[in-house]
Amino acid sequence: MSESVLLEVKDLVHSYDGKAQVLAGISFDVRRKDMVSIVGPSGAGKTTLLRILSGLMRPTSGTVKFLGEPVTGVPEGVGMVFQDYSRSLPGWLSVEKNVLFPLTHLPKAVARERARESLEAVGLAGHASKYPWELSGGMQQRVAIARALALQPSLLFMDEPFASVDAQTRQGLEDLVLDLADRFQITTLFVTHDIEESVYVADRVFVIGKTPSVLVEEVDVPIPKPRDQITTKEREDFIQLRGHVARLIRHEAHL
């Protein structure tokens, strides 16, 4: 495996109860500092794929390697941000304690400094003592991102992280993720059902097909960074890429 490859996926197959096949032999590599988005028709198995890649589930067959080692559980150096922030953030813990939650293995002073730096990085430096239910949905998802960031991951998985927020908040969070990935050199796999978002955030878009799913196409996104919600989306190459991904998904959905 090349030193530039962080995650290696080969012949991934998964079935539930040995009957309903969801994934039908998916293979790809993710390079260091990549921002990869994963899209596909509804029910294509995107979340199942992400859970297997992150070590939360074991595949029926096939291999996933992180830094050259087989993934048999959640590896050290991996962070995760889920769609439903209201369920992933315990409401009885303050914002700071939510971020500290996965850092119990560290000395307290080190953990608190990491929490402080992470909250500052996502723009929540003044909200450490508040509780999640006192914050807007977008701010709660920033807490979830800060918690993952505090782990100092080299690989971050995001499972439709902005599906539950309004359009304007979503755009701000997309830009935040791009900024954090660049600042902290985090390789990111970003599952989304939003075609425009998949192109805007990514260096490569992985389009998977209708179940049982295969990787239909890897779409390169050579649009320069930093990106802007208005000028980037007005570019002709952005419009063409968005249309290409949309056509691939529509074709798969109608098979």
Side-chain angles (χ1 to χ4, degrees):
M1 185 175 68
S2 168
E3 289 185 2
S4 66
V5 174
L6 192 70
L7 189 72
E8 183 182 28
V9 181
K10 188 172 183 181
D11 299 328
L12 209 61
V13 173
H14 190 70
S15 300
Y16 287 107
D17 301 323
K19 298 177 182 178
Q21 190 178 50
V22 180
L23 308 177
I26 290 180
S27 300
F28 57 80
D29 291 341
V30 177
R31 301 182 291 266
R32 293 177 187 272
K33 304 178 187 178
D34 252 352
M35 173 70 79
V36 172
S37 60
I38 301 174
V39 292
S42 179
K46 299 184 291 294
T47 294
T48 296
L49 175 60
L50 204 68
R51 288 180 177 273
I52 291 172
L53 299 181
S54 63
L56 292 172
M57 289 174 54
R58 297 291 298 274
T60 302
S61 64
T63 59
V64 180
K65 291 184 179 180
F66 174 60
L67 292 173
E69 297 296 324
V71 172
T72 56
V74 180
E76 186 176 350
V78 167
M80 188 86 177
V81 178
F82 299 95
Q83 174 183 342
D84 195 347
Y85 48 80
S86 64
R87 295 176 62 184
S88 67
L89 299 174
W92 60 90
L93 295 179
S94 68
V95 165
E96 181 186 39
K97 288 182 178 178
N98 264 285
V99 177
L100 287 169
F101 188 76
L103 304 180
T104 54
H105 61 291
L106 297 175
K108 287 185 178 180
V110 174
R112 284 179 177 169
E113 180 61 16
R114 279 206 198 175
R116 185 195 65 77
E117 290 175 348
S118 298
L119 287 170
E120 183 177 354
V122 300
L124 293 178
H127 299 274
S129 62
K130 293 182 179 178
Y131 290 86
W133 48 267
E134 296 181 283
L135 305 177
S136 68
M139 292 172 75
Q140 289 183 56
Q141 195 60 301
R142 286 174 182 260
V143 177
I145 294 169
R147 183 173 58 189
L149 192 63
L151 290 167
Q152 297 183 348
S154 53
L155 179 60
L156 179 63
F157 293 101
M158 308 189 81
D159 187 10
E160 298 193 20
F162 310 143
S164 300
V165 299
D166 63 80
Q168 186 173 355
T169 300
R170 185 183 196 124
Q171 290 181 353
L173 289 170
E174 290 167 357
D175 289 336
L176 173 67
V177 166
L178 284 172
D179 175 63
L180 294 175
D182 179 61
R183 265 200 285 167
F184 298 102
Q185 301 294 288
I186 303 172
T187 304
T188 306
L189 265 75
F190 189 102
V191 167
T192 179
H193 66 271
D194 187 291
I195 294 168
E196 183 167 273
E197 180 173 75
S198 74
V199 176
Y200 182 75
V201 302
D203 301 311
R204 291 188 291 162
V205 179
F206 290 178
V207 181
I208 64 173
K210 192 174 182 180
T211 54
S213 298
V214 296
L215 180 61
V216 175
E217 188 173 330
E218 295 182 21
V219 180
D220 286 327
V221 184
I223 297 173
K225 295 179 178 178
R227 294 176 183 169
D228 176 81
Q229 290 288 344
I230 297 175
T231 57
T232 296
K233 293 177 180 179
E234 290 176 336
R235 291 172 59 104
E236 185 63 29
D237 50 358
F238 179 88
I239 294 168
Q240 290 178 353
L241 285 167
R242 183 182 62 193
H244 178 62
V245 172
R247 282 188 290 272
L248 288 171
I249 294 173
R250 176 174 291 184
H251 174 74
E252 291 298 317
H254 285 83
L255 284 176

